[in-house]
Amino acid sequence: MTFVFGVPSSSATTKVITSVKITGSIQTALPIGREALKRLGGKEKEVASAKDGESDFPEHLIVIPEGVTPQNLKNFTLYDMLGFAGELGAAADADVIKRAYHKAVLKYHPDKAQYKTADGKEDRTVFLKIQEAFTVLSSETKRRAYDSQLPFDESIPTEDRIQKGLAKGPQKFFKIFAPVFQRNARFAQQKPVPDLGDMDTPLPQVYKFYEYWVKFESWRDFTGVGAEYKPDDAGSREEKRYMQKENERLAKKLKTKEMQRLIELVALAEKYDPRVVADKLRRKEKKESEKNAKENSAKRIAEEDAAAKAWSEAADAAASEGLTKADKEKLKKAISKCRNILRKLLRFTATLGHGSGEYGILTEAEVELLCANANMEDLNVINEALGGEAASKDSALVQVGGFEVTRAKLEACRAKSGEAGEDEQIAKDAKKREAEDKLKAKKVAGAVEEKTWTDAETEALKIALGRYPAGQATRWENIRNYVNVKTNPAVSFTPEEILRAAWNVSK
């Protein structure tokens, strides 16, 4: 510890003697104090004054009470004895209490304030209570135990008072609740205690305030409060143990009641806090807005799906030209007849010595490719170019000029066959994507928003619409597979999305 001579001044620094060195013999009398030490070789250095480390506690508010006597001593608390009026003592730390104690001692020391008992002996009870105040309030454990026994305003604002206050403006909320929270903050285990703030306090800070109080830990101790039994008066060990347990049970009950009171206070404040109320209203409006947007979007999508489905069905109907099942069966037989005529005509080309293939100008594989991929119209064009049905019965009528038409149609079918092979690979890749999409769906929960199509995806859709014309049973499955494989979106397009987009493209 460093001792500073004299009373610390209000200056920024104080000179302190830090070391002493005796040189030579002392032959004359020396002055005392600082001058004496300096002459003995003491060195000085400047250190920060005690003022820099002093508490910011408003010590001018510490007023030692007047007129305390042994007769009215019971009317004063330990805080009163040291000059802490009202809630002032809750903010006093050990250093402040020590300074207050010195003030009280100067005022009520037995040498200055002399009291006598009825029999004329010296009465030191006032001074002893001041000493008790210092001893108890300087110890955190003893102070908390004492504070817990003091009368405390446990009231919380009523809803009627709050509503009447808020009717005059939101600022009334803070005037009502700030003193209540400050009053209860004295029992806080965890410090610093956050401030209630005002209308300009940021929302995150507001919610942190309530989070703190929801988890509030109080050191208030109810041991002995309203105790029915006095263990020290017990006649046996068993009776004393019983009394202690009963007192502990009552203390626990009071502690539970205390926490319920605080929970009610926090809930009430949060319910009427104008900042929280406004934030909840904003969130509610945002939620309703998002809900309405989703409902409108779902309604629009449903309408577009219905329109797209009708458009698709109309396109299929137009492609089949309203053919019945019997008509389709007739068409199937007609195509089979055209293929048979084509095979006969091509065999005649072999008989007539045109070409080296099994079918003269074509090989057997080329004929099968042509029959598998050429439609009714193509078959009729080839047959007519080679001489028609009559030529299939008389080789003399076979037209050599039809050979080029046949080869041209073969090349077209070859290209079509290549697309068929590619379609087969696309279908395999699409199945693989579907398996991957299922795994993604397990990891990502929640509704998926409607996709926005890119230019590349839209272009791929247009190509697929031309590649797979209306009337095919698997048309939309093929279109979906083509778009998903060619554009590789993060999540595959659904059949509904494909059909809806195709309808929008067609408009």
Side-chain angles (χ1 to χ4, degrees):
M1 181 180 295
T2 301
F3 290 90
V4 180
F5 289 90
V7 180
S9 66
S10 60
S11 59
T13 60
T14 301
K15 291 185 177 180
V16 180
I17 303 300
T18 58
S19 64
V20 176
K21 180 180 180 182
I22 299 177
T23 56
S25 59
I26 302 175
Q27 298 179 350
T28 58
L30 291 172
I32 61 173
R34 177 180 299 277
E35 187 63 28
L37 290 174
K38 285 173 67 177
R39 291 193 183 186
L40 288 172
K43 296 180 180 178
E44 291 185 339
K45 73 172 183 178
E46 292 188 346
V47 297
S49 70
K51 187 175 182 180
D52 290 344
E54 286 180 359
S55 168
D56 57 358
F57 188 91
E59 288 193 38
H60 66 280
L61 296 180
I62 300 175
V63 181
I64 307 302
E66 299 283 349
V68 181
T69 66
Q71 289 72 31
N72 64 12
L73 191 59
K74 63 181 180 180
N75 297 329
F76 296 88
T77 66
L78 298 184
Y79 285 102
D80 293 336
M81 294 303 295
L82 298 186
F84 301 116
E87 299 293 324
L88 187 62
D93 58 19
D95 289 336
V96 174
I97 288 171
K98 185 176 181 180
R99 289 195 285 275
Y101 168 69
H102 288 158
K103 287 185 179 182
V105 167
L106 289 174
K107 191 174 187 68
Y108 286 102
H109 192 278
D111 292 342
K112 291 186 176 182
Q114 296 182 354
Y115 300 104
K116 303 291 184 180
T117 62
D119 57 2
K121 294 181 179 180
E122 184 182 18
D123 190 336
R124 299 170 62 91
T125 52
V126 174
F127 183 66
L128 291 175
K129 188 161 186 176
I130 291 173
Q131 289 184 320
E132 180 190 359
F134 175 70
T135 302
V136 171
L137 301 183
S138 296
S139 166
E140 183 178 357
T141 304
K142 291 179 180 179
R143 182 175 177 177
R144 286 183 173 182
Y146 175 76
D147 286 353
S148 298
Q149 311 294 320
L150 290 175
F152 179 71
D153 182 5
E154 298 182 345
S155 65
I156 59 177
T158 63
E159 293 202 50
D160 182 59
R161 181 192 170 197
I162 298 168
Q163 290 170 357
K164 286 181 179 178
L166 288 173
K168 299 176 182 178
Q171 293 297 339
K172 288 291 182 182
F173 170 84
F174 305 99
K175 291 185 178 180
I176 293 172
F177 277 98
V180 182
F181 279 107
Q182 289 171 2
R183 189 166 65 238
N184 286 274
R186 67 180 300 174
F187 300 117
Q189 189 80 264
Q190 183 181 348
K191 293 185 177 180
V193 180
D195 188 64
L196 179 60
D198 53 30
M199 287 300 294
D200 296 326
T201 302
L203 273 174
Q205 195 172 325
V206 173
Y207 285 115
K208 281 184 179 180
F209 170 84
Y210 286 108
E211 183 182 354
Y212 173 90
W213 279 96
V214 165
K215 300 176 181 178
F216 184 77
E217 295 181 13
S218 172
W219 52 256
R220 193 177 182 189
D221 185 6
F222 291 90
T223 304
V225 178
E228 183 179 354
Y229 302 100
K230 296 182 178 180
D232 292 339
D233 296 339
S236 64
R237 185 180 300 173
E238 289 76 14
E239 184 182 6
K240 183 176 184 179
R241 206 160 25 238
Y242 170 78
M243 290 180 175
Q244 288 173 338
K245 286 184 177 179
E246 287 298 303
N247 288 346
E248 288 172 3
R249 183 182 62 79
L250 177 61
K252 187 176 180 180
K253 184 178 179 181
L254 291 173
K255 185 73 172 180
T256 301
K257 184 179 179 181
E258 165 77 351
M259 297 314 297
Q260 289 175 342
R261 182 184 68 84
L262 289 172
I263 290 171
E264 183 182 350
L265 168 64
V266 176
L268 195 62
E270 191 169 12
K271 177 182 177 182
Y272 286 100
D273 191 324
R275 302 164 300 183
V276 176
V277 171
D279 184 49
K280 286 183 177 179
L281 181 61
R282 282 193 296 270
R283 294 187 186 203
K284 183 180 179 182
E285 291 174 348
K286 182 181 178 182
K287 188 175 181 180
E288 288 179 352
S289 177
E290 291 174 350
K291 181 182 177 183
N292 292 335
K294 285 182 180 179
E295 289 177 351
N296 292 335
S297 177
K299 183 179 178 181
R300 176 181 57 78
I301 289 173
E303 291 173 351
E304 288 186 0
D305 284 344
K309 185 178 180 182
W311 166 76
S312 175
E313 290 173 350
D316 289 339
S320 60
E321 296 179 351
L323 297 177
T324 63
K325 187 176 181 180
D327 292 334
K328 290 179 180 179
E329 190 63 31
K330 288 180 181 178
L331 179 61
K332 185 178 179 181
K333 289 180 179 179
I335 291 174
S336 179
K337 181 180 178 181
C338 286
R339 288 170 179 165
N340 290 332
I341 292 173
L342 176 60
R343 287 189 175 94
K344 289 179 181 179
L345 289 170
L346 291 173
R347 283 196 185 98
F348 279 151
T349 65
T351 304
L352 295 172
H354 299 287
S356 58
E358 293 88 337
Y359 285 86
I361 61 173
L362 299 179
T363 64
E364 184 176 0
E366 289 172 333
V367 171
E368 293 304 318
L369 178 65
L370 191 60
C371 290
N373 292 282
N375 55 29
M376 181 78 169
E377 183 180 351
D378 290 334
L379 291 172
N380 282 329
V381 168
I382 297 171
N383 289 343
E384 288 300 320
L386 291 173
E389 186 178 358
S392 68
K393 297 175 182 179
D394 184 357
S395 60
L397 299 176
V398 174
Q399 300 294 318
V400 178
F403 292 174
E404 289 302 321
V405 174
T406 303
R407 289 191 179 93
K409 291 294 182 182
L410 173 63
E411 290 305 316
C413 288
R414 201 187 300 280
K416 190 175 181 180
S417 177
E419 287 185 357
E422 186 183 9
D423 288 345
E424 186 177 346
Q425 184 60 46
I426 287 173
K428 290 180 181 178
D429 293 340
K431 285 184 178 180
K432 184 179 178 181
R433 282 188 59 85
E434 287 178 5
E436 293 173 353
D437 288 342
K438 287 180 180 179
L439 290 174
K440 290 179 183 177
K442 290 181 180 179
K443 294 179 181 179
V444 182
V448 178
E449 297 181 357
E450 185 182 7
K451 296 187 185 75
T452 300
W453 286 65
T454 65
D455 292 341
E457 290 166 346
T458 302
E459 188 61 31
L461 176 62
K462 291 178 180 178
I463 293 172
L465 287 171
R467 181 166 177 160
Y468 309 105
Q472 296 181 4
T474 59
R475 184 193 186 198
W476 292 109
E477 181 182 353
N478 291 338
I479 291 174
R480 175 174 178 251
N481 290 343
Y482 183 89
V483 174
N484 282 331
V485 171
K486 292 296 184 180
T487 62
N488 193 29
V491 179
S492 296
F493 289 103
T494 64
E496 294 79 12
E497 289 171 330
I498 291 290
L499 183 57
R500 191 162 56 248
W503 174 68
N504 283 321
V505 166
S506 69
K507 291 190 296 182

